[in-house]
Amino acid sequence: MQLSRARRAGRRGARRYTTRDLAVLGVLLGIPILIDVVIIWGPTLASVALSFTDWDGITELEWVGADNYRSLVSSYPPFWPAVRNNLLWLLFLGLVATPFGLLLAVLIDRGVRFSRFYQSTLYMPVVLSLAIVGFIAQLVFSRDQGALNAILANQDHPVDWIGDPDLNIWVILLAAGWRHVGYVMILYLAGLKSVDPNLKEAAALDGAGERQTFLRVVFPVLRPVNVIVGVITVIEGLRAFDIVYAVNKGRNGLELLSVLVTDNIIGEASRIGFGSAIATVLLVVSLGFIVTYLVQEFRGEKRR
C-alpha cells in the first residue's frame, strides 16, 4: 500500500513539459544565447580566424599563418611598450588603487563623521566615462594651461606632465585609479555591510584586535567580493582605451594594446588581419589572468 502511494506521488511529482512550456523556455534561453553568440563569441572567433590572414577589408583574404604574430613580436615597435603599459596598468590598479579602495571602505564602514558625504564624493568619478576622466586630466596636467602647474607656479619652466613619455603614463594611471578607487570602495562597502556582526564580537571576545579581526575574520568572509573585484580589476587593466585616446590618441608613451588594435583595424592602413592578431593576444592574456585568478579563488573556497 505504501509502495503504491509512493509510486503515485512520484508520478505526480514528475511534471511533463507541454509544447507551450518548451516554447517559452526556448525563447527565454535561446534569445539570450543567440545574442551572446552573435555579439560576443561570433566576432571573437572571427577575429581569431582573421589573425591568421592578410586582409584589408576590401581585397581577397590571403592566408598567412602565424606571420602576423611573428611580425608583431619582432618588427612592430609599439607592441612591447604597449604590453609594458598594460602590465603597469594592471599592477597599479591591483596593488595600489584596489587596496586603497578597500581602505576607504573600511574607514567609512566604521561610521566616521560625514561618511555619506565621503561616500558620494568618492563614488562620483565612477559615473564618469574614462574619456571624460581623460579630458579632466588634460585640464589638470596640461603643460601650459593646466591647474597643477598653475598651483606649483611653474610658469617659467612648466612640467610637461602629459607630453613627457617618462611621466605621462603615471599621470594617466593616477587619473584612471581615481575612478577605479570609487568603484572598488562601493563593492567592498556593500560586502562589509553584509558581514555578520556576531563574527566580530566573537573575535573580540577571543582577544583579537581590530587588525586581526579584519584579516582573519572579515576579509575571508569577503571572498565573493574579492573575486568580483579581482575580475573587474583585470578587465579594467587590460581593456583600457578611451582615457589615453582622449589625451593623445594613445601615442608618445601611452601605447596600449587596445589602441594598437584600433589603429590597425580602423586606421588608414586597414590591416585587419594584423589588428586581429593584436586583439587575439589581448584576449589570451585577459583569459589567462581571469581564469587563473578564478581557479585559485574557487580552490581556496573548496578548501574552506
Side-chain angles (χ1 to χ4, degrees), residues 68-245:
N68 286 329
Y69 293 98
R70 281 192 287 266
S71 300
L72 189 63
V73 298
S74 62
S75 60
Y76 188 55
F79 176 71
W80 290 112
V83 172
R84 179 200 63 195
N85 289 342
N86 270 111
L87 291 177
L88 282 176
W89 209 286
L90 180 60
L91 291 174
F92 182 84
L93 293 184
L95 300 180
V96 179
T98 295
F100 188 59
L102 173 59
L103 174 63
L104 293 176
V106 172
L107 294 177
I108 293 176
D109 183 62
R110 290 182 178 179
V112 296
R113 294 184 62 185
F114 309 113
S115 60
R116 294 288 184 182
F117 171 76
Y118 296 139
Q119 183 176 333
S120 301
T121 303
L122 292 169
Y123 184 74
M124 192 176 298
V126 181
V127 304
L128 304 175
S129 68
L130 277 175
I132 301 298
V133 175
F135 291 129
I136 295 175
Q138 285 182 307
L139 296 175
V140 175
F141 299 106
S142 178
R143 178 181 179 273
D144 298 321
Q145 300 171 343
L148 183 58
N149 279 334
I151 294 173
L152 297 176
N154 289 339
Q155 301 301 321
D156 296 332
H157 303 286
V159 179
D160 195 358
W161 301 100
I162 294 178
D164 188 345
D166 294 327
L167 294 176
N168 55 13
I169 183 62
W170 304 107
V171 169
I172 298 303
L173 282 175
L174 284 176
W178 173 57
R179 181 178 181 271
H180 185 73
V181 162
Y183 196 11
V184 172
M185 179 200 69
I186 289 296
L187 291 175
Y188 273 120
L189 192 58
L192 290 170
K193 296 296 183 184
S194 65
V195 175
D196 188 354
N198 294 328
L199 295 176
K200 299 179 183 179
E201 294 177 3
L205 291 175
D206 289 340
E210 290 187 1
R211 182 178 178 182
Q212 290 178 321
T213 301
F214 177 78
L215 293 177
R216 298 184 179 182
V217 177
V218 177
F219 192 70
V221 174
L222 296 176
R223 181 176 292 273
V225 182
N226 293 334
V227 173
I228 295 173
V229 171
V231 172
I232 289 175
T233 300
V234 171
I235 293 174
E236 289 291 328
L238 296 176
R239 76 174 180 90
F241 168 79
D242 32 13
I243 184 171
V244 297
Y245 206 81

Side-chain angles (χ1 to χ4, degrees), residues 10-33:
R11 290 192 190 114
R12 285 197 299 267
R15 179 185 173 185
R16 291 185 178 181
Y17 290 100
T18 64
T19 305
R20 182 180 178 181
D21 293 334
L22 293 175
V24 172
L25 285 174
V27 170
L28 294 179
L29 294 177
I31 291 179
I33 292 174

Side-chain angles (χ1 to χ4, degrees), residues 50 53-62 270-274:
L50 287 172
T53 67
D54 183 11
W55 189 44
D56 59 3
I58 300 175
T59 59
E60 186 177 352
L61 279 171
E62 180 182 353
S270 294
R271 305 171 65 190
I272 295 179
F274 192 75

